[in-house]
Amino acid sequence: MTDFILVRHGETVWHAENRYAGRTDVPLTGHGREQAATLAAWAATAGLSAVWSSPLSRARLTAAPAAAACGLTPRIDERLYEVDFGQGEGLTRDEMRERFPDRLAAFLADPVDHHLPDGEHPRHAAERAAGALADIAREQPHGRVLVVAHSTLVRVLLCHLLGIPLADYRRVFPRLDNGALTEIRIEHGRTALLSFNAPAPTRAPALR
């Protein structure tokens, strides 16, 4: 049995304009660094056994204070990258509507079979992230692991692990806040959702 706390990185400079940030290495804002500090305060008493992160700096800089707070070295897995948004990368929804309105409409109707042009197929993203968690679970069979990653990646991963149709990820999980905690338990290859999108408290609750 391995418990995972999945966290979206802190706020970035593209959030104010709601730009799609996939593989682009967008820096954290001051507020994003504050969210990382709040996560670290929670992590200090959370009983974590490991901290993993996406390679992108917005995730690494969110994970590093949490790892330091509990005396751990953060580890990186390339499979925790955000989904690649292809031609949508760096654009707002309005800018996409101007450049490829038909493709955007198809994406909004079915974000999997009609993912953004030249972008990564969400099914591939979900499978690579699930593979990363499976490997971590084998390494931490009784662990409590913090994983700092990205909004779309976490939502498609949850659908994949919980048996929810992938095309419904934007409907079932309409938002994932920066720095919020989503906890899952993987036991004998099956996944339970324990909490979703919960604000990080300054101290962790007592372990069950």
Side-chain angles (χ1 to χ4, degrees):
M1 181 180 75
T2 306
D3 286 352
F4 288 92
I5 299 90
L6 310 176
V7 173
R8 183 187 183 189
H9 58 79
E11 179 188 78
T12 74
V13 297
W14 278 7
H15 276 86
E17 298 178 331
N18 198 25
R19 295 187 178 277
Y20 276 61
R23 297 298 179 89
T24 305
D25 209 1
V26 186
L28 294 177
T29 62
H31 183 50
R33 291 190 291 274
E34 291 172 1
Q35 290 169 326
T38 299
L39 181 66
W42 167 84
T45 57
L48 299 177
S49 58
V51 176
W52 286 81
S53 171
S54 156
L56 292 169
S57 66
R58 59 188 183 270
R60 289 188 289 103
L61 292 174
T62 302
C70 43
L72 297 170
T73 299
R75 300 170 68 181
I76 305 299
D77 193 312
E78 297 272 336
R79 293 172 291 181
L80 299 174
Y81 264 118
E82 176 62 298
V83 176
D84 185 343
F85 295 123
Q87 293 181 33
E89 188 75 20
L91 302 182
T92 65
R93 187 77 59 80
D94 287 342
E95 288 169 343
M96 291 185 211
R97 192 168 287 111
E98 291 176 0
R99 298 188 188 192
F100 42 85
D102 293 342
R103 295 295 297 272
L104 176 62
F107 166 76
L108 294 176
D110 183 344
V112 173
D113 287 341
H114 300 288
H115 56 85
L116 291 171
D118 299 327
E120 180 181 17
H121 198 294
R123 187 165 292 109
H124 173 262
E127 290 170 353
R128 63 175 164 81
L133 263 60
D135 287 346
I136 296 169
R138 280 189 286 270
E139 182 181 303
Q140 298 277 333
H142 306 289
R144 182 169 165 82
V145 181
L146 174 65
V147 175
V148 180
H150 307 272
S151 175
T152 300
L153 183 73
V154 169
R155 291 183 291 156
V156 298
L157 171 64
L158 289 173
C159 287
H160 178 82
L161 293 176
L162 296 169
I164 298 168
L166 211 60
D168 289 338
Y169 79 84
R170 297 177 69 249
R171 179 184 63 82
V172 177
F173 302 113
R175 59 180 289 170
L176 188 63
D177 296 328
N178 297 103
L181 311 179
T182 293
E183 187 166 2
I184 61 173
R185 175 170 294 163
I186 298 180
E187 186 172 13
H188 303 305
R190 303 183 69 179
T191 302
L193 178 63
L194 304 182
S195 67
F196 176 72
N197 203 32
T202 55
R203 290 180 61 83
L207 296 179
R208 294 181 295 276

